[in-house]
Amino acid sequence: MKKPAMVIGVGAVALLVVAVALVLRPGSAPVAAQQSAPAVAAGPAVARLGNQQVTPAELQALLATVPPATREQLRGNREALERWIRTRLAEKAVLEQADAQGWAQRPEVARQTRAATEQIVFRDYLRSVSEVPADYPSAAELQQAYDAGKANWQTPPLYRVSQIFLGVNDPQNLESVRKQAAELSKKAQASPGGFAALATQYSQDRASAERGGDTGLQPLQQLVPEVRGAVARLKVGAVSDPVQSAAGFHVIKLTEQQPARTATLDELRDQLTQALRAQRQEQIAQAYLDGMLNTATLSIDGAELNKVLETKP
C-alpha cells in the first residue's frame, strides 16, 4: 500500500526542503576518438562503449547522491537509469577526445576549472563548519514547528482504485476493444467480487494486473482526467461503465475512499526533522560568513569599483 501523499503548504513556516533533482538527459551517440586510447580496465562493468565503461561503483555513487525516496524511484525506473548510463558513456567518450587534445590546459577552461574547484571547496568547508547538533530538533521544537504549520499539513481525499485496462494501438480496433470493455464491465458489475480475477486475466496494465487491478491509494489529481470523473461518481465497491481515455478503455472499481484530513506529527516527523535541520544548517552557515566579515578588516575602494563598472566588456 502506498503511503498517503502529504500536501504541505509553504505559507505558514518555511520548513520544507527543496528536493535534489536528478536531471536525466537523453544520450547521444558519441563520435569515436581518433587517438589511441588506453585499454579498458579489467573488472565488472554495468555498460561499456569502446574504451569507456560505467562500473557498478560509479552507479552506486550516483544512487548515493540522491534522496532515499528518489533512489527508490530510480531503482524501479530501468529506462531512466539506462538513459543515464548511455549519457554517461557519451560524456566519457567526449572527455577522452578532449583530453587527447589537451583541452584542460586551454586558458579559458583552466579559469573555469579553478572557479569550479573554489566553489566545491567553499561549499564543502562551509558545510563542515555548520554541522547541526545530532540532537536537533528536540521533541519540543518539532512539536512547535508542527503546530505552527498545522493548518497546512493536509492530505487530500484519497481513492483506492482498481482497473481493467484495454489499450487501443490501432484506430481500426477501437470498436472491438470498446465492445470487449463493455462486456468486462457488465461481468464485473454483476459480480464485483470477481473484479480482481478479471483484471488479472484481461488487463493490459500488467503492473496493476498482477495485483488484481489495484493501483493504490492516490488523490484524484493523480488519475487520468477521464478516469478522475468516473471515480468521483462511484461509491465504494461499485464498478464503472467503460471509460475511454487517449490510451484506451478503463473499467474502474472504487475499493476504498479516505476523506481529507490533517496529517499527524508522526506521519510528518521525518520530513519536518530534515527540513528543520537544513534550515538550522543554513542559519549556522550564514552566521559563520557574517562573522568572517565582522572580524576582518574590510575596505571597498569606490574609485576602483567605478572603473570596473564603467569598463565595457
Side-chain angles (χ1 to χ4, degrees):
M1 180 184 298
K2 296 181 180 177
K3 294 183 179 179
M6 303 302 172
V7 178
I8 301 178
V10 297
V13 252
L15 297 176
L16 301 183
V17 186
V18 178
V20 176
L22 176 65
V23 179
L24 296 170
R25 305 184 304 275
S28 57
V31 180
Q34 299 298 316
Q35 294 78 14
S36 58
V40 177
V46 175
R48 298 179 189 272
L49 176 65
N51 298 308
Q52 307 303 328
Q53 64 181 18
V54 173
T55 66
E58 186 174 356
L59 185 57
Q60 290 168 357
L62 162 74
L63 295 174
T65 62
V66 299
T70 304
R71 188 180 310 134
E72 289 308 309
Q73 291 174 1
L74 281 173
R75 291 184 190 279
N77 192 337
R78 186 68 170 264
E79 181 181 354
L81 278 175
E82 290 183 359
R83 188 161 63 245
W84 178 85
I85 290 169
R86 289 194 296 270
T87 300
R88 183 63 183 137
L89 287 172
E91 290 173 350
K92 287 188 172 188
V94 171
L95 286 171
E96 181 182 348
Q97 293 182 11
D99 285 344
Q101 298 177 39
W103 213 261
Q105 284 69 51
R106 293 169 66 95
E108 64 273 22
V109 175
R111 284 195 297 271
Q112 294 177 60
T113 300
R114 285 194 299 273
T117 300
E118 287 178 357
Q119 285 301 306
I120 292 171
V121 173
F122 168 77
R123 288 194 299 268
D124 192 65
Y125 181 77
L126 192 60
R127 189 181 303 114
S128 74
V129 297
S130 59
E131 292 184 357
V132 179
D135 59 354
Y136 180 83
S138 66
E141 289 166 325
L142 198 58
Q143 183 69 54
Q144 182 181 9
Y146 173 77
D147 291 340
K150 194 170 184 179
N152 301 294
W153 307 147
Q154 298 294 317
T155 64
L158 298 175
Y159 300 80
R160 181 177 292 280
V161 175
S162 293
Q163 73 164 346
I164 301 171
F165 172 71
L166 302 177
V168 179
N169 299 321
D170 186 343
Q172 294 182 349
N173 298 332
L174 178 65
E175 291 307 317
S176 62
V177 176
R178 187 195 305 276
K179 182 179 179 181
Q180 183 185 12
E183 292 172 352
L184 290 171
S185 174
K186 187 175 180 180
K187 286 183 181 180
Q189 289 174 347
S191 179
F195 189 95
L198 290 173
T200 300
Q201 182 176 358
Y202 294 105
S203 181
Q204 294 173 9
D205 176 18
R206 298 317 305 168
S208 62
E210 293 174 358
R211 301 187 296 270
D214 180 31
T215 63
L217 272 171
Q218 52 196 315
L220 280 179
Q221 289 74 12
Q222 290 186 8
L223 300 175
V224 175
E226 296 83 356
V227 171
R228 193 181 304 163
V231 170
R233 293 188 295 270
L234 285 176
K235 294 182 179 180
V236 174
V239 177
S240 73
D241 293 332
V243 178
Q244 185 176 358
S245 71
F249 290 89
H250 310 256
V251 178
I252 302 298
K253 179 181 179 182
L254 179 60
T255 58
E256 181 184 353
Q257 181 177 351
Q258 295 182 4
R261 64 182 179 83
T262 300
T264 66
L265 175 57
D266 282 342
E267 289 172 319
L268 293 171
R269 188 177 303 278
D270 290 345
Q271 188 177 3
L272 280 177
T273 297
Q274 292 174 12
L276 285 172
R277 288 184 62 82
Q279 184 183 61
R280 176 55 60 87
Q281 183 169 38
E282 183 178 349
Q283 292 169 346
I284 296 173
Q286 188 58 55
Y288 182 84
L289 291 174
D290 291 343
M292 295 290 289
L293 292 174
N294 291 335
T295 57
T297 301
L298 174 64
S299 64
I300 298 177
D301 190 322
E304 288 299 323
L305 178 58
N306 289 336
K307 289 180 183 179
V308 172
L309 294 177
E310 292 168 0
T311 301
K312 294 182 179 180

